[in-house]
C-alpha cells in the first residue's frame, strides 16, 4: 500500500487562517480557477508507492508548487524537471509517485516552479526531506514553512466606484447596471481584476434626494430602480422617448453630479409606458414565472409595499391604516390578479425582473473578462422598509445605529436605521442575514461586510437624539456603584449623569441604563470631567479604558464569532470585512480565523498607533486602500490636511523638503505603487485616486470627487465621473501606464 504524506502549511506570518481557503471561495473555484500546467511533467502513477497531498495555497498564475528530489521520478534535483502538484477539489494538491525503481531512502524538497522561466526559482528552507523504507499505509503530517511562499501568493488589484457614479455616452444622469459592462472592459484593459460597488438595494422611501443614501434601503434584497436601463427596454418595444423626456435626459446627463430624484422620476415615467405595452406578454412569460417562484418570499411583499407607499404617499407603514401592521392574508389579497391594485403590484415585479436580468448580464460580462464583482452587505436597513414592516420583532425601533467619534466624525455618526434584536435573529438561525448574503451570490463573487464591528456590538443611540455621542454599545457589561467605590471614588450619580446645561445631553460622564452605568464616549471632553479633581480624573480614565478596551472583549468576541460563523458558513463568497472605527484588539485574529479579509486604509491610524496605517506590513488576508468612499480621496485629503500631508510626505513617502501644495500626479503614482506592492491579497482604489496619477485624466476640482462625508447628516450621495467610460476606455496612454504599474507589482 502507498505511503501517504499530508503536507501542512502553518499560517502565514501575522495570519491565522487556512492557506488553501481561497481555493474554496467563489472567485477562486470558478473565475480564477487554477489550471494545471499541461506541457509539464506531473505525477499520475496508477501504481503509486507514495502519495503526497497538500492544502494548496493559491499562487500567482506563473508559479507552481512542486517537489524535486534525488529519485528519478522527482527529476534528480534538476531545476527544470520537478514534479508539480496537480490541482484537486477544494484547494487540495496531489502528487502520486512510484518509487519502486529507486533505492530508499531518497531525498526531496518542496520548491516553487516558474512556468515562464521553466525552472525552479525557490526552495523551502532547511535540510532536505527524506522518504524512508516504511511502507505502512498512513498519513504522515509534514509541516511546511509557509514564509517562503509569501511572495508568490496570488494578489489582485481592484477599483471601487458606486453604480450611480458611472457615466457613459448614453446615460440618463446616473449609471445603469449595463454600464458595469463598459467598466469591466476598461478594468480588463488595465489588468484590474475586481470591481467593488456600493449597495445596490432600493432606497426610494421619500421621493427626494435623501433617497441617495445607499445604506438605508427599503428592502434588504430588492434592487434600486434608478439603475435600470430604460432606454434599452423602450427601444426593444419601439416606444418613443418624448421631446420633453429627451430634453430632460440631455439636462441630467450634462450635470457634473447625480440628481437622484429627477433621475427616478424620468426613468419611472418611461418604464410605466414600457410596462403598459409589455404587461400581457410579461404575465405569460415562463422565465418570469421561474423568477417569481424563486424570489416570491421577498418580491411579493416588496411589490405590495411599493404600491402602498405610492397609494398613501409615504413609506412610513404606520400611516397605512389597515395595512399598518403586516398581515400576510391582506398582502396576498392585494397581490392577487383579482385585486384593483394588481396592475401596480405587477409593475414592480416587472421592474425587479428586468433589474435582475441587467445586473446578471453585467456580472456575466465581467466574468468573461476575468473580473469579479464585489458587492456590499449593509449592516442596517431603513427604518421605513419592507423588512421592518414584515419582521418588526427583529428590530429595536426605539434605537438608532451609528458609530462613536472616530476618524470620520468628531461627534460620532447616526445612521438613522434601527438596531437589531440579535437574540431574535439567532433564534431563527440568523436566517434574515443569511438570505441577504445568499441573494448576493446571484451577481457577486465577493462581498464587503459593512461595519463588521456591529456583529460584536452596535453603537446604539436612543431615537430622540441625533448626535452619535449620545450612544452606547449594545450589548455591553455595565458598571455599578460598587465598581466606583472599589477604586476609591465617592459615587455621586447626579454629578456624573446630569449635565451642567440641561439642553446639552451628551455633556455627561455616565449614562444610566436600568441599574447600571455606561461611560459616555466623549467623557474627557465634558465640562463635568474638566471640573473634577485631577486624581478623580485619573481613576475615571482607567475605568473608562478598561470599560471600552478590556471588560467587554470576551463577550463581544464570543458574540461576533457565533454570528459571523453562521454568515460565513452559508456562503462561498470571498468575504471582506470593513473593520474600521473603535476596533477591539481581538478583531483581526477572529476575522482571519474565519477566513475573512480585514481592511487597512492608509489615511487611518494603524494597529500600532501610528499616524497612518502600515500598508507595507499588511497581512496577506487583507485589503489595502488609500481611502474609502467615506473619506476624502487622496488629492482632496492632501489639500485639506496640510499638516498630515507633510508628515506623510516625509515619513511614508520618504521625500525630502516641503510637500507640494497640491497632490501632484507623481505623488499620487507613488501612493498607488506603494499599495500595489503591499503583501495584502487585494489592493483596491477609488477610481478618483487611479485617475489622479494622470494630469489630463484627473478631475480639475478635487472637492467634487468626494462620495460621502459621514460628519454631514444631510449628505447627498451625488459624486459622478467627470468623463465617460467610453473616453476612459479609449485613453490608451493612461490605460497602458496603469496596466504596467499593476503588472510590475505582480498583481
Amino acid at each position: 500500500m502507498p505511503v501517504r504524506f499530508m503536507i501542512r502549511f502553518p499560517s502565514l506570518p501575522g495570519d491565522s487562517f487556512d492557506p488553501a481557503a481561497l481555493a474554496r471561495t467563489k472567485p477562486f473555484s470558478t473565475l480564477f480557477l487554477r489550471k494545471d500546467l499541461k506541457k509539464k511533467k506531473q505525477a499520475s502513477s496508477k501504481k503509486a508507492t507514495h502519495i503526497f497531498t497538500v492544502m494548496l495555497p493559491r499562487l500567482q498564475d506563473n508559479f507552481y508548487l512542486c517537489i524535486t528530489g534525488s529519485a528519478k521520478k522527482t527529476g534528480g534535483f534538476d531545476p527544470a524537471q520537478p514534479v508539480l502538484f496537480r490541482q484537486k477539489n477544494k484547494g487540495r494538491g496531489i502528487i502520486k509517485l512510484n518509487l519502486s525503481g529507486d533505492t530508499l531512502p531518497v531525498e526531496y524538497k518542496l520548491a516553487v516552479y516558474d512556468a515562464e522561466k521553466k525552472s525552479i526559482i525557490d526552495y523551502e528552507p532547511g535540510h532536505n526531506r527524506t522518504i524512508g523504507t516504511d511502507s505502512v499505509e498512513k498519513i504522515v503530517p509534514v509541516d511546511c514553512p509557509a514564509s517562503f511562499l509569501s511572495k508568490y501568493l496570488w494578489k489582485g488589484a481592484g477599483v471601487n466606484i458606486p453604480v450611480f457614479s458611472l457615466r457613459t455616452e448614453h446615460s440618463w444622469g446616473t449609471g445603469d447596471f449595463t454600464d458595469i459592462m463598459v467598466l469591466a472592459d476598461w478594468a480588463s484593459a488595465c489588468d484590474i481584476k475586481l470591481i467593488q460597488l456600493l449597495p445596490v438595494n432600493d432606497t426610494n422611501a421619500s421621493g427626494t434626494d435623501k433617497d441617495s443614501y445607499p445604506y438605508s434601503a427599503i428592502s434588504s434584497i430588492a434592487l434600486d430602480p434608478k439603475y435600470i436601463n430604460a432606454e434599452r427596454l423602450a427601444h426593444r418595444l419601439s416606444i418613443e422617448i418624448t421631446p420633453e423626456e429627451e430634453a430632460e435626459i440631455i439636462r441630467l446627463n450634462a450635470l457634473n453630479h447625480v440628481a437622484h430624484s429627477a433621475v427616478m422620476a424620468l426613468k419611472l415615467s418611461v418604464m410605466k409606458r414600457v410596462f403598459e405595452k409589455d404587461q400581457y406578454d410579461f404575465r405569460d412569460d415562463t422565465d418570469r414565472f421561474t423568477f417569481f417562484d424563486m424570489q416570491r418570499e421577498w418580491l411579493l411583499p416588496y411589490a405590495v409595499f411599493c404600491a402602498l407607499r405610492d397609494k398613501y404617499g409615504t413609506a412610513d407603514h404606520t400611516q397605512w391604516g389597515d395595512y399598518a401592521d403586516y398581515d400576510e392574508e391582506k398582502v396576498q389579497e392585494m397581490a392577487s390578479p383579482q385585486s384593483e391594485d394588481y396592475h401596480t403590484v405587477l409593475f414592480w415585479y416587472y421592474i425587479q425582473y428586468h433589474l435582475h436580468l441587467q445586473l446578471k448580464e453585467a456580472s456575466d460580462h465581467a466574468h468573461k473578462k476575468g473580473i469579479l464583482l464585489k458587492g456590499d452587505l449593509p449592516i442596517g436597513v431603513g427604518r421605513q422598509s419592507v423588512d421592518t414592516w414584515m419582521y418588526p420583532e427583529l428590530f429595536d425601533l426605539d434605537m438608532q445605529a451609528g458609530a462613536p467619534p472616530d476618524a470620520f466624525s468628531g461627534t460620532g455618526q447616526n445612521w438613522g436605521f434601527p438596531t437589531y434584536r440579535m437574540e431574535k435573529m439567532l433564534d431563527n438561525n440568523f436566517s434574515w442575514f443569511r438570505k441577504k448574503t445568499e441573494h448576493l451570490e446571484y451577481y457577486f463573487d465577493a462581498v464587503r461586510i459593512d461595519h463588521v464591528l456591529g456583529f460584536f456590538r452596535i453603537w446604539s443611540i436612543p431615537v430622540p437624539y441625533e448626535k452619535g455621542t449620545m450612544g452606547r454599545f449594545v450589548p455591553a457589561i455595565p458598571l455599578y456603584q460598587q465598581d466606583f467605590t472599589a477604586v476609591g471614588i465617592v459615587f455621586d450619580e447626579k454629578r456624573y449623569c446630569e449635565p451642567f446645561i440641561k439642553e446639552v445631553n451628551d455633556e455627561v460622564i455616565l449614562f444610566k441604563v436600568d441599574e447600571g452605568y455606561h461611560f459616555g464616549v466623549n467623557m474627557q471632553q465634558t465640562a463635568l470631567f474638566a471640573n473634577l479633581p485631577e486624581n478623580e480624573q485619573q481613576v475615571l480614565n482607567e475605568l473608562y479604558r478598561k470599560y471600552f478596551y478590556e471588560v467587554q472583549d470576551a463577550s463581544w468576541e464570543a458574540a461576533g464569532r457565533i454570528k459571523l460563523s453562521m454568515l460565513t458558513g452559508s456562503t462561498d463568497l470571498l468575504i471582506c470585512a470593513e473593520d474600521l472605527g473603535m476596533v477591539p484588539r481581538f478583531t483581526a485574529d477572529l476575522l482571519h480565523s474565519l477566513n475573512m479579509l480585514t481592511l487597512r486604509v492608509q489615511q487611518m491610524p494603524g494597529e500600532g498607533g501610528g499616524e497612518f496605517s502600515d500598508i507595507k506590513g499588511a497581512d496577506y488576508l487583507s485589503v489595502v486602500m488609500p481611502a474609502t468612499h467615506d473619506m476624502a480621496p487622496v488629492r482632496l485629503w492632501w489639500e485639506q490636511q496640510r499638516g498630515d500631508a507633510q508628515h506623510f510626505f516625509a515619513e511614508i513617502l520618504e521625500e525630502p523638503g516641503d510637500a507640494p501644495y497640491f497632490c501632484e500626479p507623481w505623488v499620487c503614482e507613488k501612493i498607488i505603487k506603494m499599495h500595489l506592492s503591499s503583501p495584502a491579497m487585494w489592493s483596491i482604489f477609488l477610481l478618483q485616486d487611479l485617475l489622479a496619477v494622470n494630469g489630463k485624466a484627473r478631475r480639475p476640482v478635487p472637492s467634487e470627487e468626494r462620495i460621502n462625508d459621514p460628519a454631514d447628516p444631510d449628505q447627498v450621495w451625488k459624486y459622478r465621473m467627470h468623463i465617460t467610460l467610453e473616453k476612459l476606455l479609449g485613453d490608451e496612454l493612461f490605460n497602458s501606464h496603469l496596466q504596467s504599474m499593476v503588472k510590475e507589482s505582480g498583481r
Side-chain angles (χ1 to χ4, degrees), residues 374-417:
K374 179 180 175 183
D376 200 308
L377 183 69
I379 187 64
V381 69
R383 183 172 296 276
Q384 298 172 352
S385 64
V386 184
D387 302 79
T388 57
W389 183 44
M390 291 182 70
Y391 311 112
E393 70 279 3
L394 299 181
F395 302 91
D396 189 341
L397 297 169
D398 294 327
M399 303 297 283
Q400 306 163 95
D406 56 18
F408 298 122
S409 172
T411 58
Q413 301 173 51
N414 183 346
W415 302 324
F417 41 78

Side-chain angles (χ1 to χ4, degrees), residues 19 49 86 129 171 181 276 329 343 358 364-365 471 487 510 512 597-598 695:
T49 60
R86 190 180 298 278
R129 301 171 186 267
S171 293
M181 294 189 284
E276 288 301 326
E329 186 175 335
H343 182 268
Q358 291 182 2
D364 292 344
H365 180 82
V487 292
L510 299 172
K512 185 176 183 181
L597 277 61
T598 51

Side-chain angles (χ1 to χ4, degrees), residues 688-724:
Q688 304 93 298
D689 288 340
L690 291 176
L691 295 174
V693 306
N694 185 291
K696 294 182 179 179
R698 56 170 35 186
R699 199 183 198 113
V701 183
S703 61
E704 296 176 351
E705 292 188 329
R706 182 144 196 176
I707 298 172
N708 176 47
D709 181 358
D712 180 3
D714 298 317
Q715 174 78 35
V716 174
W717 299 55
K718 60 183 181 180
Y719 164 70
R720 192 168 182 227
M721 292 176 63
H722 67 293
I723 58 175
T724 65

Side-chain angles (χ1 to χ4, degrees), residues 322-335:
D322 291 342
Y323 294 95
D325 295 323
Y326 183 81
D327 185 305
E328 179 71 23
E329 186 175 335
K330 289 180 180 177
V331 168
Q332 293 288 346
E333 181 181 328
M334 188 170 173

Side-chain angles (χ1 to χ4, degrees), residues 214-275:
Y215 288 92
S216 184
I218 64 167
S219 168
S220 60
I221 292 180
L223 300 171
D224 196 324
K226 72 169 169 279
Y227 297 137
I228 199 164
N229 187 329
E231 183 178 35
R232 176 200 278 191
L233 292 168
H235 178 74
R236 178 173 65 85
L237 293 169
S238 301
I239 293 176
E240 292 188 5
I241 306 301
T242 67
E244 293 79 11
E245 289 166 344
E246 287 283 6
E248 180 70 345
I249 291 168
I250 293 171
R251 182 186 76 83
L252 290 173
N253 216 26
L255 296 175
N256 66 356
H257 64 274
V258 179
H260 289 267
S261 56
V263 167
M264 274 297 298
L266 171 65
K267 289 197 173 185
L268 288 181
S269 174
V270 173
M271 285 304 300
K272 285 177 180 176
R273 296 208 310 278
V274 170
F275 171 68

Side-chain angles (χ1 to χ4, degrees), residues 9 139 146-147 220 245 284 328 356-357 367 389 397 457 531 605 630 652-653 656-657 669 713 722 725 745:
F9 283 80
I139 295 177
S147 57
S220 60
E245 289 166 344
D284 298 329
E328 179 71 23
H356 161 74
L357 293 180
H367 290 164
W389 183 44
L397 297 169
R457 74 292 188 272
N531 282 275
D630 282 323
I652 307 301
L653 297 183
E669 180 169 330
H722 67 293
L725 283 167
S745 72

